[in-house]
Amino acid sequence: MDATTAATPQIRYETPASHIARIVMARPQAHNAQGLQMTYELNDAFSRAALDESVKVIILAADGRNFSAGHDLSGDAGKTLRDFPTVGTWAGFEADGAEARYGREMEIYLEMCERWRNLSKPTIAQVQGKCIAGGLMLAWVCDLIIASDDATFKDPVIDFGICGVEFFNHPWELGIRKAKEFLFTAEEITAQEAAAHGMVNRVVPRAELEATTLALAERIAAKPAFALKATKQALNHVQDVQGRRNAQMHAFSLHHLLHAHNELVYGLPMDPNGLPDTVRDKVFARAAAAKAAREKARADAAGKAGG
């Protein structure tokens, strides 16, 4: 099933000005928590903007009080990766052992973020309120970040026994010393602190966030399209020759080592001791549902093979 055929869309695609596309996460009741549906709708929208020759700049925004609560730990309402078109080259989503989770997270996290980061056109994240864990990944794939003065940023996953989110860009966003403090303590930082360390471009009052972001997008869109694309590619390449991609792949491998460790120790891909009580129950239920889905898929495949 194509992601866009889902019953209730979780993103909006807007054209607020000439040459500008604005992709809006529209799940404010869940603080724009990102599950499979939102992930693939975001990908469809980014692809639409990238392939539209009239679009020169892309804004990523969000409805409601908070930009993103991160990955949706409540599950995907019964949907699996079978319900969405695979974008990358990894599969084995229902395989045994670590293979299924590794393939799944390559598909929906690391490689999806890498794809969005490398879109040919300039992108701007418009961030308000809380930006937590997976929300950081959405902001970090963008070329520029404009934040409201009440925005905060946090990666709490060390509390869950994991070494940071899958798109491990912390050192390039904050510098190595601040990245270590950010990850070791799992404490949130303010928009002002993020700007001081170079992660955020501008901090503005909440009431001015949308207008400021749009004005910046229009200023950029006035430049030659091909020159913008080449400039973005040149700057991204600087990070890559510094070793960003290799470092991320190493961090991703450690991320999955810790998933496997936690499975052996706790029977879950994360350490449940760091989870709030309300979330812990959901995670246990989601893990049980995922296991049941894998077992059913294997049984169905075996049945087909047996004729």
Side-chain angles (χ1 to χ4, degrees):
M1 181 185 74
D2 189 278
T4 59
T5 65
T8 304
Q10 295 184 358
I11 68 100
R12 282 195 318 280
Y13 188 97
E14 302 174 344
T15 51
S18 179
H19 304 304
I20 310 296
R22 183 163 58 206
I23 299 166
V24 184
M25 294 182 284
R27 205 182 173 211
Q29 74 283 1
H31 305 287
N32 298 304
Q34 178 192 356
L36 289 176
Q37 180 182 336
M38 181 179 283
T39 297
Y40 285 94
E41 287 186 8
L42 283 169
N43 188 63
D44 288 347
F46 277 127
S47 294
R48 175 180 172 182
L51 297 174
D52 184 342
E53 293 185 5
S54 71
V55 171
K56 296 172 73 175
V57 180
I58 304 166
I59 296 170
L60 177 63
D63 285 341
R65 187 168 75 250
N66 298 309
F67 178 75
S68 174
H71 299 148
D72 190 349
L73 297 181
S74 68
D76 291 290
K79 295 188 182 301
T80 71
L81 282 168
R82 286 186 171 191
D83 296 302
F84 301 90
T86 301
V87 172
T89 59
W90 282 81
F93 304 133
E94 293 155 350
D96 292 326
E99 182 179 356
R101 181 172 294 108
Y102 193 91
R104 172 188 170 88
E105 295 199 354
M106 284 290 284
E107 163 72 9
I108 63 174
Y109 297 146
L110 183 59
E111 292 305 295
M112 195 74 81
C113 283
E114 190 72 9
R115 183 175 192 272
W116 297 342
R117 182 239 186 202
N118 291 325
L119 291 175
S120 61
K121 300 173 182 180
T123 53
I124 307 173
Q126 176 184 304
V127 179
Q128 80 278 6
K130 296 198 178 292
C131 180
I132 301 172
L136 293 170
M137 293 161 55
L138 296 174
W140 287 347
V141 299
C142 294
D143 301 303
L144 306 176
I145 301 176
I146 309 301
S148 63
D149 53 8
D150 64 348
T152 58
F153 303 86
K154 182 175 182 177
D155 185 345
V157 300
I158 196 169
D159 291 336
F160 315 150
I162 304 294
C163 59
V165 294
E166 293 85 355
F167 189 74
F168 194 87
N169 219 46
H170 311 67
W172 283 271
E173 300 291 344
L174 292 165
I176 195 69
R177 297 291 182 195
K178 188 62 181 178
K180 287 180 179 180
E181 179 185 350
F182 186 60
L183 285 166
F184 291 167
T185 66
E187 293 174 352
E188 70 179 18
I189 60 174
T190 65
Q192 293 80 4
E193 192 173 2
H197 287 276
M199 190 179 101
V200 165
N201 295 87
R202 301 182 189 182
V203 180
V204 300
R206 168 77 77 105
E208 300 174 15
L209 179 62
E210 181 176 324
T212 300
T213 305
L214 182 57
L216 177 59
E218 290 183 296
R219 196 171 310 126
I220 294 169
K223 309 303 181 186
F226 189 32
L228 286 171
K229 293 176 181 179
T231 301
K232 173 172 179 171
Q233 189 174 38
L235 290 167
N236 278 2
H237 188 63
V238 170
Q239 286 188 322
D240 291 342
V241 297
Q242 290 173 336
R244 179 201 64 89
R245 176 66 170 166
N246 286 342
Q248 281 198 344
M249 289 304 302
H250 178 65
F252 188 73
S253 296
L254 291 173
H255 183 102
H256 279 270
L257 171 64
L258 288 165
H259 275 322
H261 168 78
N262 290 325
E263 284 276 13
L264 289 170
V265 176
Y266 305 108
L268 288 171
M270 60 187 72
D271 182 343
N273 296 306
L275 296 172
D277 292 342
T278 53
V279 175
R280 188 182 301 122
D281 292 342
K282 292 178 181 178
V283 170
F284 273 112
R286 185 176 182 181
K291 181 179 180 181
R294 289 195 299 272
E295 290 174 350
K296 182 179 185 302
R298 285 197 293 269
D300 290 346
K304 290 179 181 177

